Amino acid sequence: MSWVQSIVLFFSYLAWILYAVGFVVACAECGLEYSSGRADVKGTAMKKTNTDAPFFLLMGKIGDLVFANVLWLVCCIPVVTAGASTLGLFTVVNKLAAREDYTVRTDFFKAFKRDFKQSTALWLVVLLGGLAGFRGLQIATAQDTASNGVLAAASFLLLLVVGCCGSWAFALLARFSYPKALSALADGGRMTLANLLPSVGILAFLAWLPLLAKAAPAWFVYLAPLMLLIGGSGSALGMAALMRPAFAKLEKAGRKEEETDPEEF
């Protein structure tokens, strides 16, 4: 089957790319050390086994993103828990973007349990808004009339609002204390308007996957294994990085961060 061959080919190329990158980095570092007369091949080889080296740190971050993505996908399977799962994912990537200490499993499930009600309520609002937007687009594209054109524009605008406000709301709920989901959603709307450029970037992270599937189905098939491994967490990290300056301002202004019990898990 072609899709199985695509997956095998993808991982074969990935393995060779990682090997080549590691080899080039080792050779470059060895050359730099030799030029200064401070190292030899053995010394460079011993240094590359140091887990604090940048290469190993990068691989560790990638491994954490893969683990977080797998947890997110598995916990989204019941659908009703997708909100709490997304909250857990944003909790991890928020700390990663802020360069704070974190543990993927512990932080993910702490957030999952801590704000389950708020995140589930927020997820239901976002889900209903998204379904309404998609349904409106389906109805509007069925016939080419003036009224349907207005409906299509309104439905598309609704999807944009739901995507931006929902993403900001989940990230805010993961980072700060909110007694109710609607409070986080209202703040998400305010953050969307106050940070228009990051919001456009957030929309790009939300839209790239369906756009790729529509515009280049062949590339979508080739990249499917990578997206299953790191697509969700990678996109969430990109969003968290865009949101980080705004969150830093809130934290500097004295906004209370979400508290966790260190004795849990």
Side-chain angles (χ1 to χ4, degrees), residues 4 37 69-71 101 219 222:
V4 175
N69 195 73
V70 171
L71 289 178
D101 293 333
W219 277 101
Y222 279 110

Side-chain angles (χ1 to χ4, degrees), residues 11-217:
F11 281 106
S12 298
Y13 285 152
L14 180 62
W16 279 109
I17 289 172
L18 292 176
Y19 172 78
V21 169
F23 182 77
V24 170
V25 171
C27 290
E29 186 170 344
C30 184
L32 290 174
E33 294 291 342
Y34 258 115
S35 65
S36 60
R38 296 178 299 174
D40 54 16
V41 174
K42 180 180 179 181
T44 302
M46 293 297 293
K47 185 177 180 180
K48 296 310 291 181
T49 61
N50 182 7
T51 57
D52 292 331
F55 177 77
F56 289 103
L57 292 176
L58 176 61
M59 291 298 103
K61 298 298 182 185
I62 293 175
D64 289 340
L65 287 174
V66 170
F67 185 31
N69 195 73
V70 171
L71 289 178
W72 176 65
L73 289 175
V74 171
C75 293
C76 281
I77 291 176
V79 180
V80 71
T81 60
S85 181
T86 303
L87 181 73
L89 179 63
F90 268 110
T91 299
V92 174
V93 296
N94 275 343
K95 291 189 174 183
L96 189 58
R99 298 183 179 181
E100 298 174 351
D101 293 333
Y102 67 92
T103 303
V104 174
R105 185 189 67 85
T106 301
D107 290 329
F108 184 97
F109 285 110
K110 276 183 179 179
F112 188 100
K113 178 181 178 181
R114 181 191 63 224
D115 291 322
F116 183 83
K117 292 182 179 180
Q118 295 95 316
S119 59
T120 302
L122 178 58
W123 161 242
L124 291 176
V125 172
V126 171
L127 179 62
L128 291 175
L131 290 176
F134 279 116
R135 181 56 180 166
L137 285 178
Q138 287 180 342
I139 296 174
T141 54
Q143 293 181 347
D144 188 11
T145 63
S147 59
N148 282 349
V150 175
L151 178 60
S155 300
F156 184 72
L157 180 61
L158 176 60
L159 288 176
L160 295 182
V161 171
V162 168
C164 274
C165 295
S167 298
W168 277 104
F170 271 112
L172 285 166
L173 184 59
R175 189 68 178 175
F176 304 105
S177 298
Y178 282 94
K180 296 181 180 180
L182 290 180
S183 300
L185 189 59
D187 275 358
R190 284 190 282 267
M191 296 297 283
T192 298
L193 294 176
N195 302 273
L196 291 179
L197 190 58
S199 296
V200 172
I202 289 170
L203 286 176
F205 279 113
L206 290 173
W208 74 271
L209 181 58
L211 289 178
L212 178 64
K214 183 70 174 178

